[in-house]
Amino acid sequence: MATQEALISVIMPVYNAEKYLAQALDSLLAQDYPNFEIICVDDGSVDTSKVILAGYARQNARLHVVRVKNGGQARARQVGIEHAKGSFLAFMDSDDLVHPQWLSTLAEGMQTPQVDMTVVNYYNYIGSTKIKARSFRAPVFTIEGDDKYRYWLEDHDLRGYLWNKMFRSDLFKKPVPVANFNLLEDAYFIGQLLPRIDQIYFVDQPRYYYRFNATSSVHAKFQKRDLEAIHQLGAVFLTLAREKPELTSLAVRRYAALSLFVLSKMSPRQLVANWGYAQQLGMVLAQYTREFQGIISAGDATMLAADNPGKASLLGKLRAWSHLLGLPTFDDLNKLAGRESDVPKKES
């Protein structure tokens, strides 16, 4: 079929990825789908990544290297999109692995004319342990309309990742706004794309191997630009809360999850310095108390918004709120990290 022969552009941002880059490229070049190009955007690497990329480019005509000054993964992806020639786009991280049928499974899902995005399942590698992500609601299904926002906000089958998805390149005729932060920039990217998407096709087959990296932006210590995630991604959540009343509770919950996650990464001193973000969170939750009946109370929201940042229990208060809302904290994720070990290069 024509779709099976369509050119796919795989975009891979690369920054100081020498440890796993060769494994990632080997797994990608072993795809059973024949017609694809690889666009590796070297985001100012200072290790041997550029040497590894040059060697692979010499041996593989389908692999193209673009070098840019370091500007972060989101901007590197945007450069890759600008260079892509394929009818479909897929994204891969430079320290992960892909199943040999990653591209063919995704391309199969794109055969329906109305489908703009296909999603497959994946494995997590945490230390030496391989864990299959939660199963989808059905082996194969399609969603459309406002369900696409619901699934994104619920963060279950759709999730906020780019690497387990394929997109029609037509979606990118109008540039997608670039996140000015590295924390959860994938989720922001997808949130910006959703209004352009008609249907999303899901296939509950694990075709991607995500390597848990304790040094990634999600798991790293607090950085000042993490606050931009609250400004930009948080604004997307709150816009949905205003424009789609039936999704208000989910949207505000995601805003709360994001804010609590960023705040829980801070030291007590940093939290005091940025206490305005905790107050803002408290005010937002107080504003939407009706939507959270049975989960929070107006008293809880008032307490969080109170202007008393000098107490030693600030972090404890935030962790208590995370527990109240059923949200994971930075500390919860760090408990899963452990020590990283090498991952098998391929699995069928």
Side-chain angles (χ1 to χ4, degrees):
M1 297 182 67
T3 301
Q4 294 175 323
E5 300 170 358
L7 177 65
I8 297 172
S9 297
V10 179
I11 297 169
M12 178 188 291
V14 178
Y15 178 72
N16 292 351
E18 61 183 6
K19 184 175 181 181
Y20 298 118
L21 181 55
Q23 291 183 30
L25 292 173
D26 286 343
S27 71
L28 182 51
L29 289 166
Q31 293 296 293
D32 66 357
Y33 187 94
N35 192 20
F36 67 96
E37 64 173 359
I38 306 169
I39 301 173
C40 293
V41 182
D42 181 3
D43 189 28
S45 296
V46 295
D47 65 357
T48 62
S49 293
K50 61 184 66 177
V51 177
I52 296 171
L53 290 174
Y56 274 83
R58 283 194 299 269
Q59 298 176 20
N60 301 273
R62 67 176 66 181
L63 192 150
H64 313 283
V65 180
V66 181
R67 291 189 169 87
V68 296
K69 291 183 179 180
N70 180 252
Q73 187 165 249
R75 295 192 181 278
R77 285 201 184 107
Q78 188 64 37
V79 171
I81 292 171
E82 292 169 0
H83 284 78
K85 299 177 181 178
S87 300
F88 306 117
L89 300 186
F91 299 88
M92 181 178 178
D93 286 356
S94 58
D95 56 352
D96 294 338
L97 300 166
V98 286
H99 187 283
Q101 296 175 340
W102 176 55
L103 290 179
S104 59
T105 303
L106 286 167
E108 184 73 18
M110 302 298 294
Q111 290 188 22
T112 303
Q114 292 79 22
V115 169
D116 293 311
M117 178 200 299
T118 296
V119 183
V120 294
N121 214 329
Y122 59 94
Y123 286 108
N124 286 303
Y125 276 101
I126 301 177
S128 60
T129 304
K130 184 179 92 172
I131 304 173
K132 181 180 180 294
R134 178 174 12 196
S135 296
F136 293 167
R137 74 173 195 187
V140 175
F141 65 99
T142 303
I143 62 171
E144 59 186 354
D146 283 355
D147 278 345
K148 62 190 179 185
Y149 297 110
R150 182 181 302 279
Y151 272 68
W152 179 62
L153 291 171
E154 288 176 343
D155 200 30
H156 289 161
D157 296 353
L158 185 54
R159 306 301 300 270
Y161 308 126
L162 290 178
W163 34 253
N164 68 329
K165 299 173 177 65
M166 181 174 286
F167 306 86
R168 291 192 186 277
S169 59
D170 290 350
L171 296 174
F172 303 93
K173 286 182 177 179
K174 179 182 177 182
V176 179
V178 178
N180 190 29
F181 55 92
N182 290 329
L183 178 69
L184 303 175
E185 79 278 5
D186 285 13
Y188 179 77
F189 186 94
I190 293 172
Q192 296 292 331
L193 272 182
L194 283 178
R196 311 179 187 184
I197 290 172
D198 288 329
Q199 290 187 2
I200 304 175
Y201 188 86
F202 292 83
V203 183
D204 190 17
Q205 296 182 20
R207 293 291 187 249
Y208 194 93
Y209 305 101
Y210 170 72
R211 194 190 306 269
F212 183 92
N213 181 0
T215 64
S216 73
S217 58
V218 173
H219 313 294
K221 293 181 179 179
F222 170 75
Q223 300 178 35
K224 192 69 175 179
R225 64 177 174 178
D226 289 345
L227 296 173
E228 287 299 318
I230 298 178
H231 287 302
Q232 296 182 45
L233 180 54
V236 177
F237 294 145
L238 293 183
T239 297
L240 278 175
R242 290 191 298 270
E243 295 180 352
K244 300 187 180 297
E246 71 279 8
L247 299 176
T248 295
S249 182
L250 283 172
V252 176
R253 189 182 180 90
R254 286 300 304 276
Y255 170 82
L258 172 64
S259 298
L260 283 166
F261 186 73
V262 172
L263 292 169
S264 70
K265 292 176 71 172
M266 297 180 185
S267 67
R269 180 172 295 183
Q270 290 170 331
L271 185 56
V272 169
N274 295 283
W275 187 245
Y277 287 89
Q279 288 180 289
Q280 176 180 296
L281 171 61
M283 289 184 288
V284 169
L285 291 176
Q287 178 183 355
Y288 289 99
T289 298
R290 180 177 300 174
E291 286 77 12
F292 282 92
Q293 287 179 354
I295 301 177
I296 65 171
S297 68
D300 292 326
T302 301
M303 181 181 69
L304 182 63
D307 188 15
N308 58 348
K311 293 185 178 180
S313 61
L314 289 178
L315 285 174
K317 180 184 291 187
L318 290 170
R319 291 187 179 108
W321 265 73
S322 288
H323 177 73
L324 183 68
L325 292 170
L327 305 171
T329 66
F330 179 58
D331 287 345
D332 294 330
L333 290 179
N334 276 342
K335 290 176 184 177
L336 297 175
R339 303 184 79 183
E340 284 193 304
S341 61
D342 289 342
V343 179
K345 290 188 178 182
K346 297 179 185 177
E347 286 204 30
S348 58

